[in-house]
Amino acid sequence: MSSTSVTSTASAVPTNLSSALGGGKAQQSNTHQPRTYLVPDKERTAAPPKGLWRWIIPVFRVSKAEFVQKCGLDAYFFLRYLWLLLKIFVPSSLVILPILLPINYVGGRGPNFATGIYSNATTWNNVTGLNEFAFGNIRPDQNNRYWAHLILAVGVIVWTCWVFFDELRDYVKLRQAYLTSPQHRIRASATTVLISGIPKEWCTAKALDGLYDVFPGGIRNIWINRKFDDLNDKIKQRNKLARALESAETNLVKNAKKAHMKETKAAEKKAGKKTSKKEEKIEMKRADEQAAQIAQLDGVSAGDPHQVKHSIGEILHDKSRQGPKEESLERGNRRRLIPIPLVGQGIEAVGQGLGNIGKTVLGGFRSVGKEVDERVHTTNGLEAEDGHLGDELYTTGGYQPPIGTHYAEDKTVAAQQDQSTDELGSGYHARDSASTAVHRLDSHPASEHSFGDDDDSDAAWSKYLKAKDRDTMRLPIFGWTWMIALPLIGKKVDTIYYCRKEVARLNVEIEEDQRDPEKFPLMNSAFVQFNHQVAAHMACQSVSHHLPKQMAPRMIEISPNDVIWNNMSITWWESYIRTVVVLAIIAGLVIGWAIPVAFTGSLSQIQQLATTYSWLSWLQRVPAVLLAIIQGVLPQVLLALLFLILPIILRLLAKNLGVPTGTAVEIAVQKFYFSFLFVQVFLIVTISSTITTVIQQIAASPTEIPAILAENIPKAANYFFSYIILQALSVSAGALLQVGELFTWFILGPLLDSTARQKWSRQINLPTTQWGTFFPVYTNLAAIGFIYAVISPLILVFNVMTFGLFWIAYRYNSLYVTKFTTDTGGLLFPTAINQLFVGLYFMEAALIGLFFLVTGVDANGNASSTTPCKAQGIIMIIVLLLTIIYQILLSNNFSPLYRYIPITMEDDATERDQEFAREHENLQDVDEERAEISSPISTVPTVSRSNIDGLEDLTAAERDFLVQRAFQHEALRAKRPVVWIPKDDLGVADDEVYRTQRASKHIWISDQYTALDSKGRVVYRRSPPDFSEVDLIDL
């Protein structure tokens, strides 16, 4: 391939780095700096200064400790991984390039070599383009130059192995310091062990307590896992239908508002009233202000079962009122308490949302960013500005409550609610955590009407819409809830009527099941929490049962939010079967994927193929620029599209392995994805032009693999130059520009987000990173860099540039953009280092083949029968064997330290715990003050502070209370969702709340804190009523 494809790649990249660094950002804090205000205080980063290049300085100034605190170990070790690669490639390039480039180029074969005595075309060939700087440009009468390649190759290998050792040593130190830090040791994950494969006779709290009580400090909690699959399916179906009901009700309110606006305009036109543009703007501004006022006020709500606790203070206050009776229970029975809900009010006012995002896409870039900057004012945690709410319910002239009902004001209702009440939403209520007003609609005789009563002749919406204007849906055929509804197939029903009935039914069934969890069968696994971290690590490493595969495997450092509950009951033999099946599927994918990938590789050599095959000869008449784009850009673009769906498939397969946590899934995906990338992007592309011949050669003689690699690897060098340049420029620029976020925010958002919840979710859900598919991409690039470091040393320039740009781009994103929901503690870092050895092995194998393929020349210009570089080849074989031994030793010695804490760390950890306790003595003083105010029988004081970001902000008693619920099954912690609809000045929303309550008291519906603006678009001022800041705390 011509070297022009390399330059064409750079010129064809649609975005460049300079535009990404400044011009494309346009101060969009919602897409480029959300971590400056949309995360808890302790995770926030100060906004960088404005300017094209001034943002770079803060990126470099953030210290390691601050970065780890704000972003976690996974993000830190990913950047450390990129730094590791720079640490390898920068010194290598400084040494190799000044030596090998002159050796390869000066006096080499060049474009005019195959002349004179070397004119035998079957033996000798010319070298052109960038290949003149590569291994194959050395003349056959100068084979002694290959000693330089050998020495430098050995140097690269030794230097790389030392860097691996040094980085793993630092990794172990930092990870162990993190695991033994007081902030981590107070979490449930630090002291809890997941035990799988428990025999039936041992699967009780009493038996496990007696077995593991021998470890220091004893046991704090035991959670026996039960199979809640049926309950989980109901919850998923309930949530799906609740969102459908919410969307249908929102559309009903919006369509009624738009119909009313249309009728008003028609009436004004008929009356001959003309309105100037200035008057229209004033009227729209007034309507928007009214909508903001409505969204600020406390609307009406019905069906709230009071499961939701809107803050940590409410949860702990409930505990203090209940008294110590639960604490007096026996430890074995204490595990089965009904879970205290961890859902509630949290992120108060994120802003008015995307109220103005419905404008044109081009205009939206400024208006949305300005809107977020002006409206989102945070104080502490995730609590934003709080507007003053009046003591009376805000109503408009368009709606009057039904006859026979009235609103009664009771300022003490909120304090008197009891969670254990059986009156699940017996009437309207509206409650604001910041105000003292509570509005309640007395029970109405119609509240017991059956679902068959769908008479909406007197409904508020019927004044503006017809029945055919309501949303409809088709039911899945044969009643299969798992199947998507198909157009024109299945029964057509009114969405609101159907979803009301189904949501109410599911709410009743789910809450009944949650009250009686013991009717569900036991799984063969349990979570055991110890009082001391060292006891948990000892229990995890001890042999627990006298039979093989029983009470194993045992895992520690599991986050409660990271558990895959569906995999908790898998046996060891089922896990083996799943592993075999998944590996077979992946092997099939690798083989099947080779065909389209090989096609993209062939495109990179289209010029050579055009001269070889007559039916492609027309390509020789294509303009040079177009041909360069076809060879340099098109293969990479097709390859990127081809691999877009692959991570989804691999992650699905990894989950079906039966691993119990999301962390284990990511590690499995990391291994699968790297294997896939290396085979498809490197191996298949390298041999794509002669793949049939290569397969036949390998099948006939497997020992010829080094020679086959040596013959084909140099040919693909220019392809990988283009591939790495494209990755460096497009990926890094795209990461800084946040192209995906801009597309979803300004294109998909206005198109898809119609409800207040959807707009709220779009605004507060920050981009996340799935490390399992993130690491392998850069590991593969580094492996390719190792392979070509000596064979075609120019690749070192591209590697240094690529990883340098990646480091800057992803450090910025980690600090200002990406939200890291779970943290593995950097467990993917050592796996990535081990995968880099693949690059070293292939480099060594290729050099072995190349050294043995080097031929001498006699006086007549014919190839001699001797092997001039046999010594270099033998030395490289020895180096290959030593590298294998080194990796085995490195892995065996470091592997136990990745997950487990040595006993020698316990004394230092205890001292840090004491220091941590002294620093938080002021919290104990606050405890005493609150204890004097709380009930005399209270064992846990109430919380009045609102700036709680994590467990470290709580007292020991408060932490222990919350942690007791950490590993309860997610199905037991699920709460009734609220149907959140926008309030309107026509009264349609209020009427829908009333009618939903009349249909069933088991549906929670509310129009609080959301309204419609002058154009009938949804705006909101607070989080949904069923959201809780407690869910943000990592237990």
Side-chain angles (χ1 to χ4, degrees):
M1 143 183 175
S2 173
S3 61
T4 58
S5 63
V6 178
T7 56
S8 68
T9 300
S11 63
V13 174
T15 59
N16 55 63
L17 185 60
S18 61
S19 65
L21 294 177
K25 291 174 60 175
Q27 304 302 327
Q28 295 298 316
S29 59
N30 46 6
T31 55
H32 293 84
Q33 300 170 14
R35 284 180 61 89
T36 60
Y37 67 96
L38 274 180
V39 294
D41 282 343
K42 291 183 179 179
E43 298 180 15
R44 288 183 191 171
T45 307
K50 298 179 180 180
L52 183 62
W53 299 99
R54 294 178 63 190
W55 60 271
I56 295 181
I57 298 176
V59 170
F60 284 91
R61 281 184 176 175
V62 176
S63 64
K64 178 175 72 174
E66 183 182 1
F67 188 93
V68 171
Q69 178 186 358
K70 294 181 181 299
C71 304
L73 281 185
D74 281 339
Y76 171 78
F77 277 115
F78 173 72
L79 292 174
R80 181 71 176 260
Y81 182 66
L82 295 179
W83 190 257
L84 173 152
L85 298 176
L86 289 172
K87 190 175 177 181
I88 293 172
F89 286 115
V90 170
S92 298
S93 62
L94 293 177
V95 174
I96 291 176
L97 293 177
I99 297 175
L100 281 191
L101 290 185
I103 289 177
N104 292 337
Y105 182 79
V106 177
R109 299 187 182 189
N112 302 314
F113 172 68
T115 59
I117 63 172
Y118 299 109
S119 60
N120 186 351
T122 59
T123 305
W124 314 112
N125 60 298
N126 296 326
V127 179
T128 59
L130 296 179
N131 290 331
E132 294 184 61
F133 298 96
F135 186 96
N137 194 47
I138 294 177
R139 298 169 65 93
D141 56 351
Q142 297 173 346
N143 290 329
N144 57 335
R145 294 190 181 189
Y146 286 119
W147 283 106
H149 296 78
L150 173 67
I151 294 172
L152 290 174
V154 174
V156 168
I157 294 167
V158 172
W159 169 247
T160 301
C161 289
W162 185 87
V163 171
F164 288 170
F165 170 79
D166 184 59
E167 290 293 327
L168 286 177
R169 182 177 55 185
D170 288 346
Y171 164 78
V172 168
K173 290 180 182 179
L174 184 56
R175 175 170 167 80
Q176 290 180 350
Y178 166 79
L179 293 180
T180 56
S181 65
Q183 293 82 359
H184 181 75
R185 281 161 66 95
I186 62 177
R187 304 190 186 282
S189 58
T191 55
T192 303
V193 177
L194 169 61
I195 305 172
S196 304
I198 303 176
K200 186 176 296 184
E201 63 272 16
W202 287 98
C203 201
T204 64
K206 183 177 181 181
L208 291 174
D209 192 357
L211 180 63
Y212 287 104
D213 200 37
V214 298
F215 294 103
I219 294 174
R220 178 177 298 180
N221 289 299
I222 296 177
W223 296 271
I224 305 293
N225 297 323
R226 291 183 178 271
K227 195 175 183 64
F228 293 107
D229 291 357
D230 293 339
L231 178 57
N232 231 6
D233 291 339
K234 290 181 182 179
I235 292 171
K236 292 177 182 178
Q237 180 68 6
R238 186 265 307 271
N239 293 343
K240 175 183 175 182
L241 292 174
R243 297 291 80 83
L245 176 59
E246 185 174 83
S247 178
E249 291 279 14
T250 299
N251 289 338
L252 185 70
V253 176
K254 289 169 61 178
N255 292 338
K257 173 72 173 180
K258 291 178 180 179
H260 173 69
M261 294 167 60
K262 187 176 180 181
E263 290 176 1
T264 302
K265 287 184 178 181
E268 291 177 353
K269 185 177 180 180
K270 185 176 181 180
K273 182 179 179 182
K274 295 184 178 180
T275 306
S276 64
K277 291 185 177 180
K278 183 177 180 180
E279 291 174 337
E280 287 181 357
K281 289 183 178 180
I282 294 175
E283 178 62 23
M284 290 178 64
K285 183 178 180 181
R286 186 200 64 78
D288 288 339
E289 291 175 352
Q290 183 185 27
Q293 184 181 9
I294 295 175
Q296 281 277 20
L297 294 172
D298 201 3
V300 294
S301 176
D304 183 358
H306 304 292
Q307 297 171 327
V308 171
K309 300 303 176 183
H310 296 80
S311 67
I312 296 176
E314 290 186 27
I315 292 178
L316 297 174
H317 179 66
D318 250 18
K319 172 64 178 176
S320 66
R321 291 172 53 199
Q322 290 173 8
K325 59 183 180 180
E326 292 179 357
E327 299 298 327
S328 64
L329 297 176
E330 293 183 3
R331 182 163 52 201
N333 295 327
R334 188 174 59 191
R335 309 326 186 254
R336 296 181 292 192
L337 295 175
I338 296 176
I340 285 185
L342 297 179
V343 185
Q345 194 176 6
I347 306 177
E348 284 296 57
V350 175
Q352 198 173 2
L354 304 181
N356 294 331
I357 203 168
K359 298 179 180 179
T360 63
V361 174
L362 295 177
F365 276 75
R366 291 186 177 179
S367 63
V368 176
K370 180 179 179 182
E371 183 180 34
V372 173
D373 290 337
E374 291 177 352
R375 297 186 181 276
V376 181
H377 305 289
T378 55
T379 55
N380 45 59
L382 288 182
E383 183 178 359
E385 67 173 344
D386 182 18
H388 174 71
L389 304 183
D391 291 335
E392 296 181 359
L393 182 66
Y394 180 87
T395 60
T396 62
Y399 169 69
Q400 297 296 332
I403 298 175
T405 66
H406 67 277
Y407 290 101
E409 183 178 10
D410 184 358
K411 298 185 178 182
T412 62
V413 171
Q416 296 173 354
Q417 294 294 343
D418 189 352
Q419 181 188 349
S420 60
T421 180
D422 292 330
E423 298 177 2
L424 300 179
S426 58
Y428 283 148
H429 79 279
R431 181 167 61 87
D432 177 21
S433 62
S435 70
T436 58
V438 176
H439 309 281
R440 193 180 187 92
L441 180 66
D442 290 345
S443 62
H444 190 274
S447 63
E448 301 301 329
H449 282 188
S450 66
F451 283 105
D453 184 9
D454 292 335
D455 182 14
D456 282 336
S457 57
D458 61 339
W461 64 265
S462 63
K463 300 176 184 178
Y464 312 100
L465 301 173
K466 297 180 180 179
K468 66 181 181 63
D469 297 325
R470 291 167 60 94
D471 284 6
T472 59
M473 60 184 293
R474 289 193 179 272
L475 303 181
I477 58 174
F478 307 123
W480 294 337
T481 57
W482 53 267
M483 187 175 185
I484 61 174
L486 301 175
L488 305 178
I489 300 177
K491 183 181 178 181
K492 187 177 181 180
V493 297
D494 184 285
T495 302
I496 293 177
Y497 296 150
Y498 175 79
C499 290
R500 277 178 184 170
K501 179 175 66 174
E502 289 300 302
V503 169
R505 176 183 64 81
L506 289 169
N507 279 337
V508 172
E509 293 180 6
I510 289 169
E511 288 160 13
E512 283 189 7
D513 289 343
Q514 288 176 329
R515 285 192 290 267
D516 188 18
E518 294 187 359
K519 70 180 182 181
F520 293 90
L522 288 170
M523 293 183 179
N524 61 344
S525 61
F527 291 95
V528 178
Q529 184 186 19
F530 295 83
N531 284 306
H532 297 321
Q533 186 183 36
V534 65
H537 282 263
M538 292 171 65
C540 198
Q541 298 177 77
S542 300
V543 178
S544 298
H545 200 271
H546 58 278
L547 295 177
K549 300 299 180 182
Q550 300 298 309
M551 304 190 77
R554 293 173 300 280
M555 300 180 64
I556 199 169
E557 292 296 337
I558 297 176
S559 171
N561 298 327
D562 198 37
V563 176
I564 302 176
W565 294 101
N566 291 338
N567 290 347
M568 287 290 103
S569 61
I570 293 177
T571 59
W572 63 269
W573 56 267
E574 187 179 354
S575 177
Y576 282 179
I577 294 175
R578 285 170 174 250
T579 301
V580 172
V581 173
V582 168
L583 291 179
I585 294 174
I586 290 177
L589 283 174
V590 171
I591 296 173
W593 226 269
I595 298 173
V597 171
F599 171 74
T600 65
S602 299
L603 287 178
S604 67
Q605 303 181 30
I606 195 68
Q607 192 173 11
Q608 180 180 348
L609 294 175
T611 59
T612 304
Y613 300 101
S614 59
W615 58 278
L616 291 175
S617 59
W618 61 273
L619 289 170
Q620 296 178 352
R621 298 186 295 272
V622 171
V625 175
L626 180 59
L627 187 62
I629 293 176
I630 294 175
Q631 292 187 136
V633 178
L634 187 59
Q636 283 76 30
V637 173
L638 292 178
L639 199 62
L641 294 175
L642 194 59
F643 281 94
L644 190 63
I645 194 175
L646 180 62
I648 301 174
I649 298 174
L650 294 181
R651 189 163 278 107
L652 179 63
L653 291 173
K655 287 183 180 179
N656 281 280
L657 282 173
V659 293
T661 66
T663 295
V665 168
E666 292 303 308
I667 293 176
V669 171
Q670 181 188 17
K671 295 175 181 177
F672 296 156
Y673 196 40
F674 172 72
S675 302
F676 210 100
L677 286 176
F678 190 77
V679 171
Q680 300 295 339
V681 176
F682 174 70
L683 284 181
I684 301 299
V685 168
T686 299
I687 62 176
S688 60
S689 60
T690 57
I691 187 169
T692 305
T693 305
V694 167
I695 293 175
Q696 293 175 353
Q697 290 176 348
I698 293 176
S701 180
T703 58
E704 295 295 324
I705 291 178
I708 296 171
L709 290 175
E711 183 178 350
N712 287 276
I713 283 178
K715 296 179 182 178
N718 289 343
Y719 170 87
F720 292 115
F721 290 166
S722 301
Y723 179 73
I724 293 176
I725 289 175
L726 184 70
Q727 293 289 320
L729 297 179
S730 63
V731 175
S732 59
L736 287 172
L737 279 172
Q738 290 295 309
V739 176
E741 285 301 304
L742 290 173
F743 178 77
T744 58
W745 188 272
F746 295 107
I747 305 297
L748 294 183
L751 291 176
L752 303 179
D753 298 342
S754 59
T755 68
R757 187 185 301 274
Q758 289 171 336
K759 294 186 175 185
W760 172 83
S761 299
R762 179 82 61 185
Q763 186 162 345
I764 66 126
N765 289 334
L766 276 60
T768 58
T769 298
Q770 294 179 310
W771 296 113
T773 51
F774 212 67
F775 268 91
V777 175
Y778 308 101
T779 304
N780 191 52
L781 292 176
I784 293 172
F786 285 137
I787 294 169
Y788 284 99
V790 175
I791 297 173
S792 188
L794 276 178
I795 203 168
L796 294 173
V797 177
F798 303 127
N799 277 111
V800 170
M801 179 180 66
T802 298
F803 294 123
L805 292 176
F806 285 157
W807 187 88
I808 295 173
Y810 289 120
R811 187 170 175 87
Y812 177 89
N813 282 353
S814 298
L815 288 170
Y816 295 107
V817 179
T818 309
K819 171 67 176 177
F820 305 101
T821 53
T822 58
D823 196 277
T824 69
L827 286 177
L828 285 83
F829 180 77
T831 303
I833 289 181
N834 274 319
Q835 290 173 343
L836 287 176
F837 277 99
V838 175
L840 291 182
Y841 294 146
F842 272 81
M843 176 185 107
E844 292 163 346
L847 285 175
I848 291 171
L850 286 171
F851 284 140
F852 281 110
L853 287 177
V854 171
T855 57
V857 62
D858 57 22
N860 297 322
N862 297 319
S864 64
S865 58
T866 60
T867 306
C869 294
K870 181 186 294 185
Q872 290 95 321
I874 294 174
I875 293 173
M876 191 52 62
I877 292 174
I878 297 173
V879 172
L880 173 60
L881 296 176
L882 292 176
T883 306
I884 296 172
I885 295 173
Y886 176 80
Q887 184 187 11
I888 294 173
L889 293 175
L890 192 70
S891 180
N892 289 344
N893 284 279
F894 276 108
S895 291
L897 300 175
Y898 296 156
R899 290 189 176 272
Y900 303 119
I901 300 174
I903 298 177
T904 54
M905 302 283 294
E906 183 63 21
D907 291 339
D908 292 338
T910 303
E911 292 179 3
R912 289 197 296 272
D913 288 346
Q914 295 171 354
E915 182 180 353
F916 176 79
R918 287 193 296 268
E919 292 176 355
H920 288 70
E921 283 182 356
N922 59 328
L923 288 181
Q924 301 297 331
D925 297 335
V926 175
D927 279 351
E928 295 175 1
E929 295 176 3
R930 283 180 281 162
E932 295 175 359
I933 301 174
S934 61
S935 171
I937 62 173
S938 173
T939 59
V940 179
T942 60
V943 173
S944 59
R945 59 188 184 276
S946 59
N947 58 342
I948 296 175
D949 283 348
L951 287 180
E952 57 268 23
D953 297 321
L954 301 174
T955 64
E958 294 165 352
R959 289 196 299 267
D960 185 63
F961 177 68
L962 290 180
V963 165
Q964 286 179 12
R965 272 71 182 175
F967 286 97
Q968 282 187 332
H969 197 287
E970 61 182 359
L972 294 180
R973 291 182 276 122
K975 303 304 169 188
R976 182 187 297 185
V978 64
V979 178
W980 196 30
I981 63 176
K983 192 177 184 68
D984 64 313
D985 55 355
L986 303 178
V988 176
D990 289 345
D991 187 56
E992 285 301 299
V993 173
Y994 160 72
R995 291 182 177 279
T996 302
Q997 174 68 0
R998 187 181 69 173
S1000 173
K1001 64 181 180 180
H1002 298 294
I1003 302 176
W1004 184 9
I1005 184 171
S1006 171
D1007 62 6
Q1008 297 171 300
Y1009 316 126
T1010 177
L1012 297 179
D1013 67 3
S1014 59
K1015 293 186 178 180
R1017 298 170 304 194
V1018 176
V1019 295
Y1020 63 92
R1021 282 304 284 170
R1022 298 196 179 182
S1023 300
D1026 57 359
F1027 181 79
S1028 172
E1029 62 188 12
V1030 185
D1031 289 339
L1032 303 176
I1033 296 181
D1034 184 12
L1035 298 176

